[in-house]
PDB file of all heavy atoms in Angstrom:
ATOM      1  N   SER A 366       0.884  -1.206  -0.001  1.00  0.00           N
ATOM      2  CA  SER A 366      -0.013   0.022   0.009  1.00  0.00           C
ATOM      3  C   SER A 366       0.907   1.253  -0.015  1.00  0.00           C
ATOM      4  O   SER A 366       1.058   1.893   1.009  1.00  0.00           O
ATOM      5  CB  SER A 366      -0.912   0.013   1.166  1.00  0.00           C
ATOM      6  OG  SER A 366      -0.212  -0.089   2.447  1.00  0.00           O
ATOM      7  N   ALA A 367       1.506   1.497  -1.158  1.00  0.00           N
ATOM      8  CA  ALA A 367       2.353   2.658  -1.291  1.00  0.00           C
ATOM      9  C   ALA A 367       2.165   3.199  -2.749  1.00  0.00           C
ATOM     10  O   ALA A 367       1.643   2.509  -3.651  1.00  0.00           O
ATOM     11  CB  ALA A 367       3.777   2.281  -1.094  1.00  0.00           C
ATOM     12  N   ARG A 368       2.565   4.434  -2.925  1.00  0.00           N
ATOM     13  CA  ARG A 368       2.440   5.046  -4.291  1.00  0.00           C
ATOM     14  C   ARG A 368       3.729   5.867  -4.540  1.00  0.00           C
ATOM     15  O   ARG A 368       4.166   6.549  -3.708  1.00  0.00           O
ATOM     16  CB  ARG A 368       1.254   5.989  -4.281  1.00  0.00           C
ATOM     17  CG  ARG A 368       0.937   6.654  -5.566  1.00  0.00           C
ATOM     18  CD  ARG A 368      -0.417   7.391  -5.558  1.00  0.00           C
ATOM     19  NE  ARG A 368      -0.564   8.316  -4.364  1.00  0.00           N
ATOM     20  CZ  ARG A 368      -0.257   9.501  -4.314  1.00  0.00           C
ATOM     21  NH1 ARG A 368       0.298  10.145  -5.367  1.00  0.00           N
ATOM     22  NH2 ARG A 368      -0.495  10.256  -3.195  1.00  0.00           N
ATOM     23  N   ILE A 369       4.258   5.652  -5.751  1.00  0.00           N
ATOM     24  CA  ILE A 369       5.417   6.393  -6.178  1.00  0.00           C
ATOM     25  C   ILE A 369       4.921   7.741  -6.686  1.00  0.00           C
ATOM     26  O   ILE A 369       4.097   7.769  -7.529  1.00  0.00           O
ATOM     27  CB  ILE A 369       6.198   5.675  -7.262  1.00  0.00           C
ATOM     28  CG1 ILE A 369       6.826   4.395  -6.737  1.00  0.00           C
ATOM     29  CG2 ILE A 369       7.314   6.578  -7.825  1.00  0.00           C
ATOM     30  CD1 ILE A 369       7.480   3.528  -7.801  1.00  0.00           C
ATOM     31  N   VAL A 370       5.512   8.785  -6.088  1.00  0.00           N
ATOM     32  CA  VAL A 370       5.039  10.174  -6.571  1.00  0.00           C
ATOM     33  C   VAL A 370       6.121  10.791  -7.419  1.00  0.00           C
ATOM     34  O   VAL A 370       5.856  11.737  -8.165  1.00  0.00           O
ATOM     35  CB  VAL A 370       4.683  11.110  -5.348  1.00  0.00           C
ATOM     36  CG1 VAL A 370       3.407  10.638  -4.728  1.00  0.00           C
ATOM     37  CG2 VAL A 370       5.766  11.261  -4.348  1.00  0.00           C
ATOM     38  N   ASP A 371       7.307  10.326  -7.354  1.00  0.00           N
ATOM     39  CA  ASP A 371       8.427  10.902  -8.146  1.00  0.00           C
ATOM     40  C   ASP A 371       9.612   9.896  -8.017  1.00  0.00           C
ATOM     41  O   ASP A 371       9.903   9.331  -7.017  1.00  0.00           O
ATOM     42  CB  ASP A 371       8.864  12.213  -7.634  1.00  0.00           C
ATOM     43  CG  ASP A 371       9.944  12.884  -8.484  1.00  0.00           C
ATOM     44  OD1 ASP A 371       9.855  12.833  -9.714  1.00  0.00           O
ATOM     45  OD2 ASP A 371      10.945  13.375  -7.867  1.00  0.00           O
ATOM     46  N   ALA A 372      10.351   9.758  -9.166  1.00  0.00           N
ATOM     47  CA  ALA A 372      11.585   8.933  -9.169  1.00  0.00           C
ATOM     48  C   ALA A 372      12.578   9.693 -10.104  1.00  0.00           C
ATOM     49  O   ALA A 372      12.106  10.191 -11.103  1.00  0.00           O
ATOM     50  CB  ALA A 372      11.261   7.548  -9.708  1.00  0.00           C
ATOM     51  N   ALA A 373      13.806   9.740  -9.609  1.00  0.00           N
ATOM     52  CA  ALA A 373      14.778  10.462 -10.432  1.00  0.00           C
ATOM     53  C   ALA A 373      16.168   9.772 -10.282  1.00  0.00           C
ATOM     54  O   ALA A 373      16.467   9.222  -9.202  1.00  0.00           O
ATOM     55  CB  ALA A 373      14.870  11.905  -9.959  1.00  0.00           C
ATOM     56  N   ILE A 374      16.890   9.826 -11.341  1.00  0.00           N
ATOM     57  CA  ILE A 374      18.318   9.443 -11.358  1.00  0.00           C
ATOM     58  C   ILE A 374      19.105  10.729 -11.164  1.00  0.00           C
ATOM     59  O   ILE A 374      19.022  11.650 -11.994  1.00  0.00           O
ATOM     60  CB  ILE A 374      18.752   8.789 -12.656  1.00  0.00           C
ATOM     61  CG1 ILE A 374      17.806   7.601 -12.999  1.00  0.00           C
ATOM     62  CG2 ILE A 374      20.204   8.379 -12.655  1.00  0.00           C
ATOM     63  CD1 ILE A 374      17.885   6.445 -11.993  1.00  0.00           C
ATOM     64  N   VAL A 375      19.826  10.804 -10.080  1.00  0.00           N
ATOM     65  CA  VAL A 375      20.635  11.991  -9.742  1.00  0.00           C
ATOM     66  C   VAL A 375      22.078  11.863 -10.096  1.00  0.00           C
ATOM     67  O   VAL A 375      22.732  10.910  -9.661  1.00  0.00           O
ATOM     68  CB  VAL A 375      20.465  12.317  -8.254  1.00  0.00           C
ATOM     69  CG1 VAL A 375      21.246  13.622  -7.907  1.00  0.00           C
ATOM     70  CG2 VAL A 375      19.002  12.521  -7.836  1.00  0.00           C
ATOM     71  N   ARG A 376      22.513  12.713 -11.039  1.00  0.00           N
ATOM     72  CA  ARG A 376      23.925  12.650 -11.471  1.00  0.00           C
ATOM     73  C   ARG A 376      24.787  13.729 -10.855  1.00  0.00           C
ATOM     74  O   ARG A 376      25.988  13.684 -10.831  1.00  0.00           O
ATOM     75  CB  ARG A 376      23.997  12.666 -13.004  1.00  0.00           C
ATOM     76  CG  ARG A 376      23.403  11.362 -13.595  1.00  0.00           C
ATOM     77  CD  ARG A 376      23.438  11.459 -15.138  1.00  0.00           C
ATOM     78  NE  ARG A 376      23.251  10.138 -15.728  1.00  0.00           N
ATOM     79  CZ  ARG A 376      22.052   9.599 -15.942  1.00  0.00           C
ATOM     80  NH1 ARG A 376      20.956  10.206 -15.597  1.00  0.00           N
ATOM     81  NH2 ARG A 376      21.935   8.383 -16.432  1.00  0.00           N
ATOM     82  N   THR A 377      24.138  14.800 -10.460  1.00  0.00           N
ATOM     83  CA  THR A 377      24.762  15.941  -9.757  1.00  0.00           C
ATOM     84  C   THR A 377      23.835  16.474  -8.592  1.00  0.00           C
ATOM     85  O   THR A 377      22.643  16.374  -8.689  1.00  0.00           O
ATOM     86  CB  THR A 377      25.090  17.124 -10.662  1.00  0.00           C
ATOM     87  OG1 THR A 377      23.851  17.627 -11.170  1.00  0.00           O
ATOM     88  CG2 THR A 377      26.060  16.713 -11.770  1.00  0.00           C
ATOM     89  N   TRP A 378      24.530  16.979  -7.590  1.00  0.00           N
ATOM     90  CA  TRP A 378      23.729  17.584  -6.517  1.00  0.00           C
ATOM     91  C   TRP A 378      23.942  19.070  -6.594  1.00  0.00           C
ATOM     92  O   TRP A 378      25.015  19.587  -6.209  1.00  0.00           O
ATOM     93  CB  TRP A 378      24.152  17.038  -5.109  1.00  0.00           C
ATOM     94  CG  TRP A 378      23.810  15.582  -4.911  1.00  0.00           C
ATOM     95  CD1 TRP A 378      22.641  15.005  -5.107  1.00  0.00           C
ATOM     96  CD2 TRP A 378      24.657  14.568  -4.397  1.00  0.00           C
ATOM     97  NE1 TRP A 378      22.645  13.687  -4.785  1.00  0.00           N
ATOM     98  CE2 TRP A 378      23.944  13.336  -4.347  1.00  0.00           C
ATOM     99  CE3 TRP A 378      25.978  14.551  -4.005  1.00  0.00           C
ATOM    100  CZ2 TRP A 378      24.479  12.220  -3.908  1.00  0.00           C
ATOM    101  CZ3 TRP A 378      26.512  13.316  -3.580  1.00  0.00           C
ATOM    102  CH2 TRP A 378      25.742  12.159  -3.533  1.00  0.00           C
ATOM    103  N   PRO A 379      22.972  19.804  -7.061  1.00  0.00           N
ATOM    104  CA  PRO A 379      23.157  21.265  -7.159  1.00  0.00           C
ATOM    105  C   PRO A 379      23.552  21.891  -5.860  1.00  0.00           C
ATOM    106  O   PRO A 379      23.027  21.534  -4.794  1.00  0.00           O
ATOM    107  CB  PRO A 379      21.784  21.736  -7.644  1.00  0.00           C
ATOM    108  CG  PRO A 379      21.144  20.580  -8.256  1.00  0.00           C
ATOM    109  CD  PRO A 379      21.714  19.374  -7.438  1.00  0.00           C
ATOM    110  N   GLY A 380      24.520  22.826  -5.894  1.00  0.00           N
ATOM    111  CA  GLY A 380      24.933  23.525  -4.697  1.00  0.00           C
ATOM    112  C   GLY A 380      25.929  22.745  -3.829  1.00  0.00           C
ATOM    113  O   GLY A 380      26.245  23.160  -2.738  1.00  0.00           O
ATOM    114  N   SER A 381      26.277  21.497  -4.236  1.00  0.00           N
ATOM    115  CA  SER A 381      27.197  20.710  -3.476  1.00  0.00           C
ATOM    116  C   SER A 381      28.545  20.587  -4.236  1.00  0.00           C
ATOM    117  O   SER A 381      28.557  20.486  -5.457  1.00  0.00           O
ATOM    118  CB  SER A 381      26.619  19.360  -3.231  1.00  0.00           C
ATOM    119  OG  SER A 381      27.553  18.478  -2.528  1.00  0.00           O
ATOM    120  N   GLU A 382      29.600  20.510  -3.464  1.00  0.00           N
ATOM    121  CA  GLU A 382      30.870  20.291  -4.075  1.00  0.00           C
ATOM    122  C   GLU A 382      31.079  18.843  -4.382  1.00  0.00           C
ATOM    123  O   GLU A 382      31.962  18.422  -5.152  1.00  0.00           O
ATOM    124  CB  GLU A 382      32.020  20.794  -3.103  1.00  0.00           C
ATOM    125  CG  GLU A 382      31.992  22.263  -3.019  1.00  0.00           C
ATOM    126  CD  GLU A 382      33.098  22.753  -2.075  1.00  0.00           C
ATOM    127  OE1 GLU A 382      34.101  21.990  -1.876  1.00  0.00           O
ATOM    128  OE2 GLU A 382      32.992  23.844  -1.536  1.00  0.00           O
ATOM    129  N   LEU A 383      30.291  17.951  -3.804  1.00  0.00           N
ATOM    130  CA  LEU A 383      30.398  16.490  -3.986  1.00  0.00           C
ATOM    131  C   LEU A 383      29.401  16.117  -5.046  1.00  0.00           C
ATOM    132  O   LEU A 383      28.372  16.724  -5.289  1.00  0.00           O
ATOM    133  CB  LEU A 383      30.042  15.740  -2.705  1.00  0.00           C
ATOM    134  CG  LEU A 383      31.092  15.921  -1.594  1.00  0.00           C
ATOM    135  CD1 LEU A 383      30.571  15.152  -0.363  1.00  0.00           C
ATOM    136  CD2 LEU A 383      32.438  15.406  -1.973  1.00  0.00           C
ATOM    137  N   SER A 384      29.699  14.983  -5.698  1.00  0.00           N
ATOM    138  CA  SER A 384      28.745  14.402  -6.700  1.00  0.00           C
ATOM    139  C   SER A 384      28.564  12.948  -6.325  1.00  0.00           C
ATOM    140  O   SER A 384      29.304  12.429  -5.500  1.00  0.00           O
ATOM    141  CB  SER A 384      29.389  14.456  -8.111  1.00  0.00           C
ATOM    142  OG  SER A 384      30.505  13.599  -8.198  1.00  0.00           O
ATOM    143  N   PRO A 385      27.600  12.296  -6.949  1.00  0.00           N
ATOM    144  CA  PRO A 385      27.429  10.863  -6.675  1.00  0.00           C
ATOM    145  C   PRO A 385      28.713  10.080  -6.942  1.00  0.00           C
ATOM    146  O   PRO A 385      28.992   9.162  -6.252  1.00  0.00           O
ATOM    147  CB  PRO A 385      26.263  10.417  -7.590  1.00  0.00           C
ATOM    148  CG  PRO A 385      25.423  11.673  -7.706  1.00  0.00           C
ATOM    149  CD  PRO A 385      26.463  12.790  -7.766  1.00  0.00           C
ATOM    150  N   ALA A 386      29.475  10.508  -7.981  1.00  0.00           N
ATOM    151  CA  ALA A 386      30.743   9.749  -8.312  1.00  0.00           C
ATOM    152  C   ALA A 386      31.727   9.903  -7.135  1.00  0.00           C
ATOM    153  O   ALA A 386      32.479   8.975  -6.859  1.00  0.00           O
ATOM    154  CB  ALA A 386      31.341  10.366  -9.545  1.00  0.00           C
ATOM    155  N   ASP A 387      31.692  11.039  -6.370  1.00  0.00           N
ATOM    156  CA  ASP A 387      32.567  11.216  -5.246  1.00  0.00           C
ATOM    157  C   ASP A 387      32.084  10.307  -4.087  1.00  0.00           C
ATOM    158  O   ASP A 387      32.883   9.700  -3.371  1.00  0.00           O
ATOM    159  CB  ASP A 387      32.612  12.658  -4.758  1.00  0.00           C
ATOM    160  CG  ASP A 387      33.158  13.611  -5.787  1.00  0.00           C
ATOM    161  OD1 ASP A 387      34.106  13.187  -6.493  1.00  0.00           O
ATOM    162  OD2 ASP A 387      32.666  14.697  -5.911  1.00  0.00           O
ATOM    163  N   VAL A 388      30.828  10.353  -3.820  1.00  0.00           N
ATOM    164  CA  VAL A 388      30.237   9.654  -2.647  1.00  0.00           C
ATOM    165  C   VAL A 388      30.202   8.138  -2.860  1.00  0.00           C
ATOM    166  O   VAL A 388      30.491   7.443  -1.907  1.00  0.00           O
ATOM    167  CB  VAL A 388      28.858  10.204  -2.364  1.00  0.00           C
ATOM    168  CG1 VAL A 388      28.189   9.364  -1.200  1.00  0.00           C
ATOM    169  CG2 VAL A 388      28.911  11.676  -1.980  1.00  0.00           C
ATOM    170  N   TYR A 389      29.877   7.709  -4.053  1.00  0.00           N
ATOM    171  CA  TYR A 389      29.808   6.292  -4.323  1.00  0.00           C
ATOM    172  C   TYR A 389      31.017   5.760  -5.141  1.00  0.00           C
ATOM    173  O   TYR A 389      30.838   4.817  -5.881  1.00  0.00           O
ATOM    174  CB  TYR A 389      28.479   6.019  -5.086  1.00  0.00           C
ATOM    175  CG  TYR A 389      27.279   6.429  -4.335  1.00  0.00           C
ATOM    176  CD1 TYR A 389      26.456   7.458  -4.797  1.00  0.00           C
ATOM    177  CD2 TYR A 389      26.952   5.836  -3.127  1.00  0.00           C
ATOM    178  CE1 TYR A 389      25.304   7.832  -4.107  1.00  0.00           C
ATOM    179  CE2 TYR A 389      25.818   6.272  -2.440  1.00  0.00           C
ATOM    180  CZ  TYR A 389      24.992   7.268  -2.883  1.00  0.00           C
ATOM    181  OH  TYR A 389      23.911   7.640  -2.189  1.00  0.00           O
ATOM    182  N   ASP A 390      32.148   6.331  -4.974  1.00  0.00           N
ATOM    183  CA  ASP A 390      33.335   5.950  -5.743  1.00  0.00           C
ATOM    184  C   ASP A 390      33.745   4.492  -5.464  1.00  0.00           C
ATOM    185  O   ASP A 390      34.232   3.770  -6.288  1.00  0.00           O
ATOM    186  CB  ASP A 390      34.546   6.837  -5.496  1.00  0.00           C
ATOM    187  CG  ASP A 390      35.022   6.878  -4.037  1.00  0.00           C
ATOM    188  OD1 ASP A 390      34.216   6.534  -3.157  1.00  0.00           O
ATOM    189  OD2 ASP A 390      36.157   7.299  -3.822  1.00  0.00           O
ATOM    190  N   HIS A 391      33.402   3.979  -4.251  1.00  0.00           N
ATOM    191  CA  HIS A 391      33.724   2.578  -3.928  1.00  0.00           C
ATOM    192  C   HIS A 391      32.924   1.628  -4.803  1.00  0.00           C
ATOM    193  O   HIS A 391      33.359   0.477  -5.068  1.00  0.00           O
ATOM    194  CB  HIS A 391      33.407   2.306  -2.437  1.00  0.00           C
ATOM    195  CG  HIS A 391      32.032   2.452  -2.129  1.00  0.00           C
ATOM    196  ND1 HIS A 391      31.392   3.717  -1.903  1.00  0.00           N
ATOM    197  CD2 HIS A 391      31.031   1.609  -1.796  1.00  0.00           C
ATOM    198  CE1 HIS A 391      30.116   3.596  -1.616  1.00  0.00           C
ATOM    199  NE2 HIS A 391      29.890   2.268  -1.500  1.00  0.00           N
ATOM    200  N   LEU A 392      31.819   2.005  -5.399  1.00  0.00           N
ATOM    201  CA  LEU A 392      31.054   1.113  -6.278  1.00  0.00           C
ATOM    202  C   LEU A 392      31.789   0.903  -7.578  1.00  0.00           C
ATOM    203  O   LEU A 392      31.784  -0.224  -8.096  1.00  0.00           O
ATOM    204  CB  LEU A 392      29.663   1.695  -6.488  1.00  0.00           C
ATOM    205  CG  LEU A 392      28.799   1.934  -5.256  1.00  0.00           C
ATOM    206  CD1 LEU A 392      27.464   2.491  -5.627  1.00  0.00           C
ATOM    207  CD2 LEU A 392      28.577   0.587  -4.551  1.00  0.00           C
ATOM    208  N   ALA A 393      32.459   1.916  -8.098  1.00  0.00           N
ATOM    209  CA  ALA A 393      33.243   1.762  -9.341  1.00  0.00           C
ATOM    210  C   ALA A 393      34.452   0.817  -9.028  1.00  0.00           C
ATOM    211  O   ALA A 393      34.801  -0.039  -9.856  1.00  0.00           O
ATOM    212  CB  ALA A 393      33.735   3.101  -9.876  1.00  0.00           C
ATOM    213  N   GLU A 394      35.016   0.984  -7.840  1.00  0.00           N
ATOM    214  CA  GLU A 394      36.133   0.134  -7.458  1.00  0.00           C
ATOM    215  C   GLU A 394      35.642  -1.299  -7.294  1.00  0.00           C
ATOM    216  O   GLU A 394      36.334  -2.271  -7.703  1.00  0.00           O
ATOM    217  CB  GLU A 394      36.746   0.595  -6.127  1.00  0.00           C
ATOM    218  CG  GLU A 394      37.424   1.938  -6.251  1.00  0.00           C
ATOM    219  CD  GLU A 394      37.924   2.492  -4.906  1.00  0.00           C
ATOM    220  OE1 GLU A 394      37.950   1.803  -3.929  1.00  0.00           O
ATOM    221  OE2 GLU A 394      38.147   3.780  -4.906  1.00  0.00           O
ATOM    222  N   GLN A 395      34.486  -1.546  -6.744  1.00  0.00           N
ATOM    223  CA  GLN A 395      33.856  -2.850  -6.589  1.00  0.00           C
ATOM    224  C   GLN A 395      33.715  -3.462  -7.978  1.00  0.00           C
ATOM    225  O   GLN A 395      34.077  -4.688  -8.175  1.00  0.00           O
ATOM    226  CB  GLN A 395      32.538  -2.781  -5.872  1.00  0.00           C
ATOM    227  CG  GLN A 395      31.824  -4.132  -5.748  1.00  0.00           C
ATOM    228  CD  GLN A 395      30.420  -4.024  -5.151  1.00  0.00           C
ATOM    229  OE1 GLN A 395      30.138  -3.065  -4.489  1.00  0.00           O
ATOM    230  NE2 GLN A 395      29.627  -5.076  -5.340  1.00  0.00           N
ATOM    231  N   TRP A 396      33.200  -2.716  -8.978  1.00  0.00           N
ATOM    232  CA  TRP A 396      32.992  -3.225 -10.267  1.00  0.00           C
ATOM    233  C   TRP A 396      34.336  -3.704 -10.881  1.00  0.00           C
ATOM    234  O   TRP A 396      34.512  -4.779 -11.409  1.00  0.00           O
ATOM    235  CB  TRP A 396      32.395  -2.169 -11.164  1.00  0.00           C
ATOM    236  CG  TRP A 396      32.331  -2.643 -12.626  1.00  0.00           C
ATOM    237  CD1 TRP A 396      33.298  -2.445 -13.561  1.00  0.00           C
ATOM    238  CD2 TRP A 396      31.388  -3.461 -13.264  1.00  0.00           C
ATOM    239  NE1 TRP A 396      32.923  -3.009 -14.782  1.00  0.00           N
ATOM    240  CE2 TRP A 396      31.760  -3.678 -14.568  1.00  0.00           C
ATOM    241  CE3 TRP A 396      30.247  -4.114 -12.788  1.00  0.00           C
ATOM    242  CZ2 TRP A 396      30.995  -4.477 -15.443  1.00  0.00           C
ATOM    243  CZ3 TRP A 396      29.473  -4.851 -13.682  1.00  0.00           C
ATOM    244  CH2 TRP A 396      29.869  -5.074 -15.018  1.00  0.00           C
ATOM    245  N   ALA A 397      35.379  -2.825 -10.667  1.00  0.00           N
ATOM    246  CA  ALA A 397      36.693  -3.202 -11.243  1.00  0.00           C
ATOM    247  C   ALA A 397      37.331  -4.426 -10.633  1.00  0.00           C
ATOM    248  O   ALA A 397      37.928  -5.195 -11.368  1.00  0.00           O
ATOM    249  CB  ALA A 397      37.625  -2.027 -10.979  1.00  0.00           C
ATOM    250  N   VAL A 398      37.093  -4.633  -9.359  1.00  0.00           N
ATOM    251  CA  VAL A 398      37.577  -5.843  -8.719  1.00  0.00           C
ATOM    252  C   VAL A 398      36.853  -7.071  -9.143  1.00  0.00           C
ATOM    253  O   VAL A 398      37.434  -8.145  -9.388  1.00  0.00           O
ATOM    254  CB  VAL A 398      37.542  -5.701  -7.141  1.00  0.00           C
ATOM    255  CG1 VAL A 398      37.728  -7.021  -6.450  1.00  0.00           C
ATOM    256  CG2 VAL A 398      38.509  -4.614  -6.716  1.00  0.00           C
ATOM    257  N   GLU A 399      35.515  -6.947  -9.259  1.00  0.00           N
ATOM    258  CA  GLU A 399      34.684  -8.094  -9.603  1.00  0.00           C
ATOM    259  C   GLU A 399      34.751  -8.452 -11.133  1.00  0.00           C
ATOM    260  O   GLU A 399      34.410  -9.541 -11.514  1.00  0.00           O
ATOM    261  CB  GLU A 399      33.251  -7.817  -9.225  1.00  0.00           C
ATOM    262  CG  GLU A 399      33.067  -7.830  -7.717  1.00  0.00           C
ATOM    263  CD  GLU A 399      31.639  -7.491  -7.253  1.00  0.00           C
ATOM    264  OE1 GLU A 399      30.782  -7.059  -8.118  1.00  0.00           O
ATOM    265  OE2 GLU A 399      31.295  -7.633  -6.102  1.00  0.00           O
ATOM    266  N   HIS A 400      35.214  -7.485 -11.965  1.00  0.00           N
ATOM    267  CA  HIS A 400      35.203  -7.679 -13.373  1.00  0.00           C
ATOM    268  C   HIS A 400      36.575  -7.207 -13.919  1.00  0.00           C
ATOM    269  O   HIS A 400      36.634  -6.252 -14.719  1.00  0.00           O
ATOM    270  CB  HIS A 400      34.064  -6.916 -14.038  1.00  0.00           C
ATOM    271  CG  HIS A 400      32.691  -7.319 -13.565  1.00  0.00           C
ATOM    272  ND1 HIS A 400      32.119  -6.738 -12.507  1.00  0.00           N
ATOM    273  CD2 HIS A 400      31.841  -8.230 -14.012  1.00  0.00           C
ATOM    274  CE1 HIS A 400      30.953  -7.263 -12.246  1.00  0.00           C
ATOM    275  NE2 HIS A 400      30.807  -8.202 -13.169  1.00  0.00           N
ATOM    276  N   PRO A 401      37.688  -7.813 -13.517  1.00  0.00           N
ATOM    277  CA  PRO A 401      39.009  -7.303 -13.827  1.00  0.00           C
ATOM    278  C   PRO A 401      39.303  -7.151 -15.310  1.00  0.00           C
ATOM    279  O   PRO A 401      40.041  -6.251 -15.689  1.00  0.00           O
ATOM    280  CB  PRO A 401      39.980  -8.226 -13.132  1.00  0.00           C
ATOM    281  CG  PRO A 401      39.149  -9.503 -12.939  1.00  0.00           C
ATOM    282  CD  PRO A 401      37.753  -9.096 -12.763  1.00  0.00           C
ATOM    283  N   ALA A 402      38.740  -8.031 -16.124  1.00  0.00           N
ATOM    284  CA  ALA A 402      39.094  -7.948 -17.549  1.00  0.00           C
ATOM    285  C   ALA A 402      38.056  -7.256 -18.432  1.00  0.00           C
ATOM    286  O   ALA A 402      38.175  -7.234 -19.657  1.00  0.00           O
ATOM    287  CB  ALA A 402      39.264  -9.408 -18.056  1.00  0.00           C
ATOM    288  N   GLN A 403      37.036  -6.698 -17.746  1.00  0.00           N
ATOM    289  CA  GLN A 403      35.939  -6.054 -18.567  1.00  0.00           C
ATOM    290  C   GLN A 403      36.005  -4.505 -18.377  1.00  0.00           C
ATOM    291  O   GLN A 403      36.336  -3.963 -17.361  1.00  0.00           O
ATOM    292  CB  GLN A 403      34.557  -6.481 -18.007  1.00  0.00           C
ATOM    293  CG  GLN A 403      34.280  -7.943 -18.303  1.00  0.00           C
ATOM    294  CD  GLN A 403      32.940  -8.356 -17.865  1.00  0.00           C
ATOM    295  OE1 GLN A 403      32.416  -7.864 -16.848  1.00  0.00           O
ATOM    296  NE2 GLN A 403      32.301  -9.209 -18.588  1.00  0.00           N
ATOM    297  N   SER A 404      35.585  -3.867 -19.493  1.00  0.00           N
ATOM    298  CA  SER A 404      35.412  -2.450 -19.426  1.00  0.00           C
ATOM    299  C   SER A 404      34.124  -2.107 -18.668  1.00  0.00           C
ATOM    300  O   SER A 404      33.147  -2.837 -18.731  1.00  0.00           O
ATOM    301  CB  SER A 404      35.267  -1.934 -20.842  1.00  0.00           C
ATOM    302  OG  SER A 404      34.785  -0.600 -20.924  1.00  0.00           O
TER     303      SER A 404
END
């Protein structure tokens, strides 16, 4: 019993010096470790 009122993919946070790439950088590292030979 829930309703989605909005959904968004956030690539930048306006007014912030940080970006999702800065905050979630460990996820890119995780990908690289789990897929060493893949782009």
Side-chain angles (χ1 to χ4, degrees):
S366 58
R368 182 172 47 93
I369 296 175
V370 292
D371 182 46
I374 304 298
V375 180
R376 290 179 167 84
T377 61
W378 292 312
S381 175
E382 294 182 20
L383 295 176
S384 71
D387 297 322
V388 174
Y389 301 116
D390 62 339
H391 62 285
L392 299 177
E394 292 171 17
Q395 177 184 341
W396 173 267
V398 168
E399 292 177 348
H400 303 87
Q403 290 182 327
S404 164

